[in-house]
């Protein structure tokens, strides 16, 4: 039986491990933290479920459908669209992805032009049923350049696209590769935006359970310090122990993957964010239904998510949980950022008071996604870029999202299975 070591227990490593075990390999996965899931984890604080930064899953992602049992995740879904907010003004963009016609009926009218409605409809037709594989490819251009080329108004770009896609790509300037826009736009028009009732960490828990069921041996709390490959063999340093295997898959975060393998094309420029969690003593509605609230003016905060409205399980009875995400990791204290969130909410909702909004936790995440400038995919490393029997898995071999991470695990496993 071939022996394979997986380094890293994020989504990519867990998928690669399970697939290889299913293909008949003897698989051991090492994770340096005490818990699995990497960037997709949740924790409980005072009865509230807090994800590691505000994250959502698009149910239409092909790899999500292949790797996860969505029913068992007991998903809670956001309503499509968003509430767009600026001082003394809120408007609702109802469902720009699945029912573009509703855009014009929505109160967003002052924020976009009629032509935008037609453009969204055209884009829905063009991207809604396209082969997902083709969506990431295209001319080398940014999201902003793509939207300009497609004829969207500056109002649409600034009021909706900048905060909405800025939230997805953690880059409000929309300088990310247009392929990421096309892919996510298409997924939004095909499926739901959801979180599991037990938090995003339930995704990782399910993948870990499935890997164990397939026979994977998982060792948490073990940091791999070196990986070496030669033809037909791989050596992994696990603390004082040296583990020999027929192959090793490095499925760490990109920075560590570059250090361990020496592959220079692993992208390490980061996009970060700060997510703050707030509780209120009573249930407080933001009049947004199950939609996100987007800041049309700046990124302090960029997005407010009514988490316990969407997923009541995220908060104990009688309490509400909101998250507010600021893009980048600004040099401001937690309290300064929380004050900016309260100030923004007060200007958006002058009819409400937010005195009882209590800061529960602040997640400062320096490396949430790797930077994805136009044409970034041309420079990404191949799965078999390292020397000998060492392979790469991780979002950085595809693109920075749950889909990219899951798919990278699939590709790595198939490549290793073919080679050994
Ligand atoms: C705040 C935030 C918001 C996001 N929002 C979304 C979203 O809404 N939708 C979406 O699709 N994607 C989102 N993403 C991106 C998505 O979460 C990531 O692309 C994906 O989780 C990456 O998975 P991975 O397995 O490639 O890497 P990671 O999750 O980074 O996993 C790598 C694992 O390797 C371990 N490791 C590192 N070094 C070692 C070592 N030496 N030895 C052993 N183990 C090691 C790490 O501890 C980690 O567990 C977001 C990410 C963040 C952080």
């Amino acid at each position: 039986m071939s022996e394979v070591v997986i380094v890293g227990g994020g989504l990519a490593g867990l998928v690669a491990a399970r697939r290889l075990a299913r293909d008949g390999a003897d698989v051991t996965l090492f994770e340096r933290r005490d818990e699995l899931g990497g960037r997709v984890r949740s924790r409980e604080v005072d009865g509230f479920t807090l994800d590691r930064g505000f994250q959502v899953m698009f149910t239409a992602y092909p790899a999500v459908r292949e790797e996860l049992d969505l029913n068992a995740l007991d998903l809670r879904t956001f309503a499509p669209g968003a509430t767009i907010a600026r001082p003394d003004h809120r408007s609702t963009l109802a469902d720009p992805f699945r029912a573009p016609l509703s855009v014009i009926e929505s109160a967003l009218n002052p924020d976009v032009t009629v032509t935008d409605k037609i453009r969204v409809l055209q884009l829905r037709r063009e991207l809604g049923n396209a082969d997902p594989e083709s969506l990431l490819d295209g001319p080398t251009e940014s999201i902003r350049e793509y939207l300009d080329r497609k004829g969207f108004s500056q109002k649409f770009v600034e009021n909706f696209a900048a905060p909405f896609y800025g939230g997805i790509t953690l880059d409000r300037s929309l300088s990310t590769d247009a392929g990421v826009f096309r892919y996510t736009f298409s997924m939004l028009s095909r499926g739901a935006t959801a979180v599991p009732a037990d938090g995003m960490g339930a995704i990782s828990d399910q993948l870990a359970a499935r890997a164990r069921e397939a026979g994977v041996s998982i060792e948490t709390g073990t940091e791999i310090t070196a990986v070496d490959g030669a033809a037909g063999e791989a050596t992994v340093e696990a603390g004082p122990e040296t583990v020999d295997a027929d192959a090793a898959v490095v499925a760490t975060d990109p920075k560590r993957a570059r250090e361990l393998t020496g592959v220079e094309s692993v992208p390490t420029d980061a996009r970060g964010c700060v997510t703050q969690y707030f509780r209120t003593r009573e249930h407080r509605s933001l009049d947004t239904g199950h939609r996100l609230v987007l800041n049309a003016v700046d990124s302090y905060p960029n997005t407010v998510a009514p988490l316990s409205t969407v997923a009541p399980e995220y908060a104990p009875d009688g309490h509400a949980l909101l998250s507010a995400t600021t893009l980048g990791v600004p040099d401001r204290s937690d309290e300064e950022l929380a004050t900016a969130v309260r100030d923004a909410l007060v200007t958006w909702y002058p009819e409400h008071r937010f005195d009882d909004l209590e800061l529960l936790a602040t997640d400062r995440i320096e490396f949430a996604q790797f930077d994805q400038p136009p044409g970034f995919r041309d420079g990404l490393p191949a799965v078999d870029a390292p020397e000998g029997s060492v392979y790469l898995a991780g979002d950085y071999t595809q693109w920075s999202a749950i889909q990219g991470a899951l798919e990278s695990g699939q590709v790595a496993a198939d490549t290793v299975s073919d080679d050994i």
Side-chain angles (χ1 to χ4, degrees):
M1 193 188 244
S2 302
E3 289 178 22
V4 181
V5 167
I6 310 284
V7 185
L11 305 186
L14 290 168
V15 166
R18 172 177 174 232
R19 289 210 156 206
L20 281 159
R22 235 175 27 191
D23 288 351
D26 180 1
V27 183
T28 306
L29 182 151
F30 294 101
E31 164 57 48
R32 80 178 163 83
R33 288 199 186 91
D34 291 332
E35 52 182 333
L36 296 161
R39 278 171 268 172
V40 182
R41 288 178 283 141
S42 305
R43 64 193 188 279
E44 204 191 293
V45 174
D46 294 348
F48 293 85
T49 299
L50 308 188
D51 296 328
R52 174 88 183 132
F54 173 59
Q55 297 208 38
V56 292
M57 181 176 72
F58 296 155
T59 60
Y61 277 153
V64 158
R65 296 186 168 269
E66 287 157 15
E67 299 297 335
L68 292 166
D69 175 351
L70 293 183
N71 285 336
L73 286 176
D74 202 8
L75 296 175
R76 303 286 177 261
T77 54
F78 284 81
T83 292
I84 296 174
R86 63 167 66 84
D88 299 320
H89 172 82
R90 296 193 306 273
S91 60
T92 300
L93 180 53
D95 187 350
F97 308 106
R98 277 177 281 167
L101 281 170
S102 65
V103 171
I104 199 66
E105 278 83 45
S106 77
L108 185 74
N109 290 352
D111 288 340
V112 300
T113 67
V114 172
T115 324
D116 292 320
K117 182 194 79 166
I118 297 160
R119 300 279 181 257
V120 171
L121 200 57
Q122 285 169 338
L123 219 50
R124 168 76 183 78
R125 282 210 198 96
E126 187 185 322
L127 305 177
N129 298 315
D131 173 11
E133 284 294 307
S134 68
L135 292 165
L136 288 167
D137 299 327
T140 302
E141 62 188 341
S142 67
I143 295 175
R144 188 174 285 271
E145 287 162 345
Y146 177 77
L147 293 175
D148 286 349
R149 182 163 66 78
K150 290 288 181 185
F152 284 98
S153 73
Q154 283 312 298
K155 277 183 177 182
F156 180 89
V157 172
E158 296 306 332
N159 295 336
F160 175 68
F164 191 83
Y165 285 96
I168 290 176
T169 61
L170 305 180
D171 163 29
R172 215 179 146 107
S173 73
L174 302 178
S175 69
T176 299
D177 187 288
V180 174
F181 171 88
R182 282 191 295 272
Y183 203 106
T184 47
F185 182 99
S186 178
M187 294 302 124
L188 282 159
S189 68
R190 295 174 204 216
T193 300
V195 293
D198 290 337
M200 289 293 285
I203 294 170
S204 305
D205 293 344
Q206 188 185 93
L207 290 174
R210 291 183 143 197
R212 286 194 177 98
E213 268 166 38
V216 176
S217 159
I218 296 181
E219 290 193 26
T220 53
T222 307
E223 176 156 7
I224 299 303
T225 50
V227 179
D228 270 312
E233 62 186 79
T235 310
V236 170
E237 305 290 342
E241 204 191 333
T242 300
V243 182
D244 295 319
D246 297 291
V249 178
V250 174
T252 66
D253 53 278
K255 279 187 179 162
R256 200 68 181 115
R258 194 201 271 209
E259 285 164 13
L260 286 172
T261 62
V263 174
E264 291 292 320
S265 54
V266 174
T268 53
D269 288 344
R271 291 273 171 204
C273 62
V274 181
T275 296
Q276 296 193 293
Y277 290 97
F278 296 89
R279 68 200 222 173
T280 56
R281 282 187 292 276
E282 304 161 0
H283 183 75
R284 176 174 301 294
S285 166
L286 290 182
D287 305 329
T288 184
H290 289 207
R291 293 187 181 88
L292 294 176
V293 184
L294 303 177
N295 185 343
V297 176
D298 62 33
S299 97
Y300 289 96
N302 184 70
T303 318
V304 172
L307 283 171
S308 60
T309 306
V310 173
E313 297 83 356
Y314 269 52
D317 285 349
H319 294 262
L321 178 69
L322 301 178
S323 78
T325 298
T326 299
L327 305 185
V329 183
D331 192 15
R332 296 190 190 183
S333 70
D334 295 356
E335 212 27 74
E336 284 171 328
L337 288 171
T339 300
V341 171
R342 285 192 196 93
D343 290 350
L345 285 169
V346 166
T347 67
W348 301 342
Y349 293 88
E351 72 277 22
H352 280 349
R353 291 174 65 90
F354 289 94
D355 308 350
D356 65 344
L357 209 60
E358 191 185 327
L359 180 62
L360 198 58
T362 300
D363 285 352
R364 291 176 178 267
I365 303 168
E366 298 278 352
F367 202 113
Q369 298 172 13
F370 66 89
D371 191 26
Q372 303 173 99
F376 76 100
R377 280 174 54 90
D378 296 340
L380 296 184
V383 165
D384 58 0
E387 301 254 304
S389 296
V390 178
Y391 299 81
L392 297 174
D395 61 352
Y396 61 87
T397 64
Q398 299 285 337
W399 62 291
S400 210
I402 290 170
Q403 165 67 25
L406 297 175
E407 192 180 345
S408 79
Q410 297 175 328
V411 173
D414 292 351
T415 309
V416 174
S417 284
D418 285 350
D419 285 1
I420 54 177

